[in-house]
Amino acid sequence: MEWNELRAFLAVADTGSFSRAAEGLHVTQPAVTKRIQALEAGLAVKLFDRVGKQVHLTQAGAVLRPRAQGLLASLADAEVELRNLNERVDGQLAMATSHHVGLHRLAPVLKSFSQRHPSAELNIEFVDSEAAHDLVRGGGTELAVVTLAPARAPPLSHERLWRDPLAFVAAADHPLYSERRIALARLAQFPAILPGLGTYTGRIVAERFTRAGLPLRTAMATNYLETIGMLVGIGLGWSVLPATMARPPLATLDVDCELLGRDLGVITNTARTLSNPARALLTILREFAD
């Protein structure tokens, strides 16, 4: 069994296609076929069934898949540890961030990183903060800069970088805008546009209304804060958004409620050895922290 054979096996399993696997591995399709055949011969099992143009894992293939993923992850960690024997900051850094954090916090960080370490290559995945936690936990990415989960669970390590105050907002022509010290009960009479309740920000708002024994009239929900800002700006409802977004056509509402906020920061996996590029990015992130 060779590493390239396992890589070919996982590529076919993930894509369901020998041709797409070859494209992803930057080799020819016959090369992928040859590696799969060699792996099957070495293990004396059949790993894939070819049904028409479809490729399906056999039972043996399904058993091998998670073990192959573990073996290749261990190999990747070994390669990272060996590269860390020197202090060169090069190679690829896989990271994740949310759209909002990426747009509003990371531009100066990434600019500084690219200027200081031109040999390093950034591979950024934009996902919801909750999905980013899962990616780091599962080893799918090295670190993430996102909204931090309220509860910390090993093996994830959380480091707060910024406090992100939240504000109640509406359009300047919304009926609530002219009122002063708006009670939550009054706010609950109008439709809201909020992040989904599966998001940390959505839960912050929902829990505050639940504690007050009040319902939330949600007109619609989306996890993209910039989209929420647009919908609120045209008068479709009120929302709770980062205070930095409270600019025309959005206006801050004077709500009788304690200040809400969330923590933004970086998460890593304590079971994973950070690469030199990841450690270099952490250093720069701390320079830009509150």
Side-chain angles (χ1 to χ4, degrees):
M1 185 187 305
E2 297 184 1
W3 296 114
N4 282 339
E5 294 171 1
L6 289 177
R7 291 189 180 96
F9 164 72
L10 286 178
V12 175
D14 290 343
T15 62
S17 165
F18 277 72
S19 60
R20 288 196 294 272
E23 291 175 3
L25 294 171
H26 304 292
V27 298
T28 63
Q29 183 173 334
V32 171
T33 301
K34 185 176 179 180
R35 292 176 187 179
I36 298 299
Q37 290 173 342
L39 184 59
E40 290 178 327
L43 297 174
V45 293
K46 189 176 183 181
L47 299 173
F48 295 103
D49 284 327
R50 288 81 164 174
V51 182
K53 294 184 178 181
Q54 300 296 315
V55 179
H56 304 276
L57 283 169
T58 63
Q59 184 178 1
V63 170
L64 177 61
R65 189 178 191 179
R67 289 164 174 77
Q69 290 170 331
L71 286 169
L72 290 176
S74 295
L75 176 62
D77 278 347
E79 291 173 342
V80 167
E81 289 191 34
L82 292 174
R83 282 198 298 269
N84 281 348
L85 292 176
N86 60 63
E87 294 302 316
R88 292 193 316 175
V89 180
D90 56 14
Q92 188 177 89
L93 168 59
M95 63 170 291
T97 190
S98 66
H99 289 85
H100 181 78
V101 174
L103 284 171
H104 296 276
R105 299 284 184 171
L106 285 189
V109 174
L110 299 180
K111 180 179 180 180
S112 178
F113 179 84
S114 64
Q115 289 174 340
R116 296 189 206 179
H117 309 293
S119 298
E121 178 184 349
L122 285 170
N123 179 9
I124 305 175
E125 187 169 0
F126 289 88
V127 296
D128 291 343
S129 295
E130 298 72 25
H133 279 71
D134 290 337
L135 278 173
V136 176
R137 183 179 296 108
T141 195
E142 197 165 358
L143 58 79
V145 186
V146 289
T147 302
L148 299 180
R152 315 298 166 86
L156 295 185
S157 172
H158 292 207
E159 183 176 341
R160 178 191 173 281
L161 297 171
W162 305 286
R163 182 63 178 169
D164 198 30
L166 300 174
F168 290 90
V169 296
D173 58 357
H174 192 282
L176 289 170
Y177 177 64
S178 59
E179 299 183 18
R180 292 293 174 265
R181 301 307 291 168
I182 305 164
L184 284 181
R186 172 67 170 155
L187 202 64
Q189 297 174 2
F190 292 84
I193 304 172
L194 296 168
L197 296 183
T199 68
Y200 302 134
T201 305
R203 290 178 210 164
I204 289 172
V205 181
E207 288 171 2
R208 183 62 191 86
F209 275 75
T210 298
R211 289 202 307 271
L214 295 169
L216 263 176
R217 289 181 56 195
T218 306
M220 61 189 78
T222 173
N223 294 352
Y224 295 101
L225 301 186
E226 281 68 28
T227 301
I228 292 176
M230 179 275 292
L231 295 171
V232 172
I234 60 175
L236 298 186
W238 61 268
S239 188
V240 175
L241 292 172
T244 54
M245 294 181 65
R247 55 184 181 273
L250 302 182
T252 301
L253 298 178
D254 182 16
V255 177
D256 187 11
C257 174
E258 76 272 15
L259 293 177
L260 302 180
R262 57 187 190 165
D263 288 329
L264 309 180
V266 60
I267 54 174
T268 56
N269 191 322
T270 57
R272 181 166 186 173
T273 302
L274 291 181
S275 64
N276 286 342
R279 291 191 288 123
L281 182 62
L282 277 174
T283 297
I284 296 173
L285 282 166
R286 290 163 183 152
E287 293 173 6
F288 284 86
D290 288 339

